[in-house]
Amino acid sequence: MAMEDGIDEVAAAAVSSLTNVLTVASDEIVSPMLINICFRMRPAFDRHESAIRIAAFGLFAGLCKFGNGVSAENFEDQVHTNLPTYVVHLNDEDYKVSEACRDSLAIVADLVDIAELTDLLENFSARPDEYDSFVRDFCPIFTQNFPRRLTAYLQAATGYFKSNWSVVRGNAAMFAGHLIASVPERRRRTVDLGSVINEIFQLLGAQNANVRSRSAKVLSYLHEL
């Protein structure tokens, strides 16, 4: 598939073209291939070229209009699989990616029908100085509404601790830490919180000062656990 092409310009054009096709395609045409498209496009969220990341968030937003069809249950799984990726790229090294991610997440929020998330996004400009407070407010919404997804969210978040982008590593630390902090006490034994906290501790040894400082900041929220 062209959107997996190793040449960035080809991949970006392919993702954008598919997004345009979705604006006129019918549910009957898209639904049989909806989940396959989701699988094939996922690596585009983390491609080095900003244009591909921007296009990928636009594509997933376009796919959301088919999310209530015959593949609704499977598409919901794709939404939750991609959610950590959205969170860490809301503060991307390229502000245009952050904006595209926020706009796409607003469409996802409408699909999952969580008014609190919609309201939160309406007041979020995707500026870096707003990110940490956004994640602090975001995480309780999802731990309360989707408690069974928590382990998967944490696994995805810690996976980004090895990102090539230092800002994404810092974002992932904040995301994982605030997820843990928002877990109700009665559910803490169902999640391996100690392992995640230990991985955040390891980020204190990162070469990048921003990663170290943000990891230390989020650990300060967890001292009572």
Side-chain angles (χ1 to χ4, degrees):
M1 188 174 284
M3 63 182 175
E4 299 170 296
D5 198 281
I7 299 175
D8 290 338
E9 292 79 4
V10 174
V15 175
S16 296
S17 296
L18 181 53
T19 304
N20 292 333
V21 169
L22 293 176
T23 63
V24 296
S26 67
D27 187 67
E28 290 76 13
I29 293 174
V30 176
S31 288
M33 64 183 78
L34 180 61
I35 305 306
N36 185 49
I37 294 173
C38 291
F39 278 121
R40 301 292 290 271
M41 68 162 291
R42 190 169 299 142
F45 288 126
D46 294 306
R47 287 282 291 264
H48 176 75
E49 178 59 42
S50 296
I52 300 177
R53 301 199 300 281
I54 291 170
F57 287 114
L59 174 56
F60 196 75
L63 291 172
C64 283
K65 79 173 187 176
F66 304 98
N68 287 319
V70 295
S71 301
E73 184 175 347
N74 289 331
F75 188 73
E76 182 180 359
D77 288 338
Q78 299 306 307
V79 167
H80 289 285
T81 296
N82 290 338
L83 184 68
T85 298
Y86 271 88
V87 175
V88 299
H89 283 292
L90 281 170
N91 180 32
D92 194 274
E93 66 168 13
D94 186 328
Y95 181 64
K96 291 181 179 179
V97 176
S98 301
E99 288 185 309
C101 180
R102 177 204 58 199
D103 294 345
S104 181
L105 185 57
I107 294 173
V108 172
D110 289 339
L111 180 67
V112 297
D113 194 24
I114 299 178
E116 293 171 282
L117 178 57
T118 299
D119 293 343
L120 188 62
L121 286 164
E122 286 179 353
N123 295 304
F124 178 58
S125 70
R127 294 201 314 266
D129 61 324
E130 295 181 356
Y131 179 79
D132 290 357
S133 61
F134 173 87
V135 174
R136 178 199 63 206
D137 295 336
F138 171 93
C139 287
I141 295 173
F142 275 80
T143 54
Q144 291 167 17
N145 284 277
F146 306 105
R148 295 182 180 179
R149 304 273 185 177
L150 179 60
T151 296
Y153 293 158
L154 286 169
Q155 288 174 344
T158 56
Y160 277 105
F161 288 2
K162 298 179 181 179
S163 170
N164 292 326
W165 294 297
S166 60
V167 66
V168 169
R169 294 199 299 275
N171 294 344
M174 296 299 295
F175 179 37
H178 281 299
L179 277 175
I180 290 173
S182 64
V183 177
E185 186 172 356
R186 68 182 184 278
R187 294 192 59 86
R188 288 176 185 168
R189 291 185 179 181
T190 67
V191 182
D192 187 4
L193 302 184
S195 176
V196 178
I197 292 172
N198 183 58
E199 291 194 55
I200 298 175
F201 262 110
Q202 292 181 32
L203 291 176
L204 295 176
Q207 291 185 346
N208 184 272
N210 182 260
V211 174
R212 296 197 303 272
S213 65
R214 295 179 75 201
S215 299
K217 180 179 179 181
V218 77
L219 284 169
S220 72
Y221 303 144
L222 307 176
H223 68 279
E224 295 182 356
L225 296 181

